[in-house]
Amino acid sequence: MTIRFNVKKKMKVATATLLLCSVATGALAQDAIRVISHRQPALEFYTQQMVEALPEGRVTVELMPIDKQLELASITMSSESDAIDVLYLNDSSFRRFAANGWLEPIDDLWEKYRGEYDLDDFPKSVIDAVSYDGKIYAMPILTNTQLFFYRKDLLEEAGIEPPQTMEDYMAAASQLDSARMAGTIMSLKPVDAALNESHWYMNAIGDGWFDENWKPIFNNAAGVEAITKLKEMTENAPRGFTAHANDESTINLQQGLAAMGLQWFTRAAAMDNAEQSRVVGQIEWVAPPGGGARTANDGFAISAFSSADREEMFKMLAQAASKESMREGAQFAMPPRLSVLENTELAAQYRWYPAARAALESGKAFPAMPDFNDVGEIVTRHILRAVTGEAEVQEALDQAAAETEELLASRGYYN
């Protein structure tokens, strides 16, 4: 199913002005491949790899804050201009661009160059994250996944094995919970943090969020069980968990105020930061028990309106995302290639890499719909009503499902 969305006409009016400004800067060579991207260290590295993949002068790169980059891309592509050839997209903006028909599918090139660039080295969860409506639209560049953090010393002292199932996790959290230390962190601040935590439960215990026709299923019996277990787990969480997101949960782990829990890969290094952490060397990681925790992937896509050679652009992206490139880029962000995550030198330097590999294989991205963030605002509001006892779990999820279905119907998801 392909969903298309209207872009405000005033954005199209502004297109010519913006494009003229770009040309006036003299940044573009007449026949160069124009790449636009968010500016941050990892993306600076990978866009430089694109520049070096082709002869000098063939690639120009413009780096800017992400809001400006997405605004420029939206304006340019809604007018069907060929002024942009390749663009960076995060996992949420990617779906909107793909749904609007602004991106070039690359399945044929992926298959053609599968062997040359070892594209099977990307796990299925990563490929799924850069796919929409059954087609691949972007080259994966950065990946992030949620890991299960736990205090190895405390588990060993209590005779507890690292949790492999949600039942193991609940039992361990309950056993370790005390007045001095919470059994687990929980990040239930709306919207993103609460949606991430709920996503794990909905996949590990429930049946996921939607059926194949985008009808909500998170309020079925398995979904009710999932949120009931989440509610039970909050008994072992720190006070104020409904206002906790990544920062608060990271601090609780660093300061020894919680024994374990779900957290992002990018927070792993903070556990061994001697200037901030009281638990240096004591935290270990495994894939989240039960699987299904969130994976997020960013990449570079080819504009559907580009007049440049699409095969040349694909090879440029594939070279930037090669094993060799990603081994070097691992210093900036987690590479999505399994072979790089398995690299023994990286595993020795970054203790959490082996767990990240396992988490990527068992993880799941958010549903591939452009409107899932809007759905998340609805769902997390009602999940928190259930968790805090304002409503029964079934009642809260039924209300969330009804509001979600109404929203999606208004946006053309159902015939």
Side-chain angles (χ1 to χ4, degrees):
M1 178 185 299
T2 299
I3 316 290
R4 295 183 181 270
F5 303 91
N6 293 324
V7 178
K8 292 182 179 179
K9 291 182 179 179
K10 65 180 182 180
M11 295 176 68
K12 294 185 178 181
V13 174
T15 302
T17 301
L18 282 173
L19 296 181
L20 285 172
C21 289
S22 292
V23 172
T25 64
L28 297 178
Q30 187 171 359
D31 62 345
I33 294 171
R34 183 190 186 191
V35 179
I36 67 169
S37 175
H38 172 41
R39 180 186 294 278
Q40 54 112 307
L43 295 175
E44 290 176 358
F45 170 80
Y46 283 112
T47 53
Q48 182 59 31
Q49 298 301 298
M50 296 177 200
V51 170
E52 295 175 4
L54 295 178
E56 184 177 356
R58 289 290 298 121
V59 181
T60 66
V61 174
E62 297 168 61
L63 301 174
M64 61 197 78
I66 191 167
D67 57 337
K68 298 299 183 183
Q69 186 243 328
L70 292 177
E71 179 184 14
L72 176 60
S74 296
I75 292 171
T76 304
M77 300 175 83
S78 67
S79 68
E80 301 186 5
S81 167
D82 68 349
I84 294 173
D85 299 304
V86 172
L87 65 158
Y88 160 80
L89 294 170
N90 59 28
D91 61 342
S92 57
S93 60
F94 158 76
R95 296 187 187 101
R96 178 168 66 87
F97 278 62
N100 281 343
W102 295 346
L103 305 180
E104 178 75 10
I106 55 175
D107 301 75
D108 59 330
L109 296 172
W110 192 279
E111 186 61 35
K112 180 176 181 178
Y113 291 102
R114 179 186 297 273
E116 181 175 344
Y117 293 103
D118 197 7
L119 299 178
D120 288 334
D121 197 26
F122 293 107
K124 183 178 183 300
S125 63
V126 169
I127 297 174
D128 287 346
V130 295
S131 299
Y132 181 79
D133 204 20
K135 296 180 180 179
I136 303 173
Y137 283 96
M139 178 65 65
I141 288 290
L142 310 177
T143 195
N144 201 0
T145 188
Q146 292 186 296
L147 307 179
F148 188 78
F149 291 47
Y150 69 93
R151 285 280 299 275
K152 180 181 179 181
D153 57 329
L154 297 180
L155 266 65
E156 289 180 348
E157 183 179 332
I160 302 172
E161 292 293 323
Q164 298 297 311
T165 67
M166 292 297 277
E167 290 76 13
D168 293 341
Y169 168 41
M170 297 186 74
S174 178
Q175 185 174 339
L176 294 176
D177 189 57
S178 68
R180 182 183 62 83
M181 182 183 64
T184 182
I185 56 171
M186 293 200 78
S187 305
L188 288 179
K189 180 179 180 179
V191 170
D192 188 66
L195 195 57
N196 290 337
E197 193 92 27
S198 302
H199 180 72
W200 179 29
Y201 282 76
M202 277 296 173
N203 290 314
I205 299 174
D207 296 326
W209 296 101
F210 300 99
D211 67 13
E212 65 276 8
N213 297 313
W214 296 119
K215 294 287 187 177
I217 59 171
F218 53 77
N219 61 325
N220 65 14
V224 171
E225 181 184 0
I227 300 307
T228 298
K229 294 295 186 185
L230 186 152
K231 179 179 180 180
E232 293 173 0
M233 186 62 83
T234 63
E235 297 176 5
N236 305 309
R239 294 179 62 182
F241 61 85
T242 58
H244 288 183
N246 295 325
D247 289 344
E248 293 80 7
S249 289
T250 296
I251 291 170
N252 280 328
L253 287 169
Q254 285 179 316
Q255 300 305 310
L257 301 177
M260 63 183 73
L262 187 73
Q263 187 54 277
W264 286 104
F265 167 96
T266 50
R267 303 297 177 128
M271 299 300 109
D272 286 347
N273 184 337
E275 295 181 358
Q276 300 175 348
S277 177
R278 297 181 178 179
V279 295
V280 173
Q282 296 175 345
I283 296 285
E284 294 287 344
W285 302 265
V286 291
R294 187 183 175 193
T295 62
N297 294 275
D298 302 349
F300 283 86
I302 297 173
S303 167
F305 313 111
S306 172
S307 56
D309 186 280
R310 64 190 292 269
E311 191 157 350
E312 183 181 39
M313 289 187 286
F314 180 88
K315 293 171 71 174
M316 174 192 75
L317 293 174
Q319 183 61 40
S322 68
K323 291 181 182 180
E324 294 74 20
S325 176
M326 288 194 167
R327 286 193 190 104
E328 186 177 352
Q331 63 185 299
F332 302 110
M334 182 171 70
R337 281 185 175 271
L338 292 176
S339 63
V340 181
L341 291 174
E342 291 173 335
N343 183 283
T344 55
E345 293 181 2
L346 286 178
Q349 187 174 1
Y350 308 114
R351 298 190 297 114
W352 47 93
Y353 265 58
R357 181 194 182 283
L360 280 177
E361 292 186 315
S362 66
K364 288 190 176 182
F366 277 165
M369 64 158 56
D371 295 285
F372 190 64
N373 285 343
D374 293 339
V375 170
E377 292 183 10
I378 295 171
V379 172
T380 55
R381 173 162 44 87
H382 289 291
I383 286 177
L384 288 175
R385 289 177 61 227
V387 166
T388 58
E390 182 181 337
E392 295 297 323
V393 175
Q394 183 74 70
E395 174 193 348
L397 293 181
D398 284 345
Q399 183 64 35
E403 292 181 23
T404 295
E405 196 162 344
E406 181 180 1
L407 171 73
L408 297 183
S410 72
R411 297 187 179 178
Y413 280 76
Y414 311 129
N415 295 324

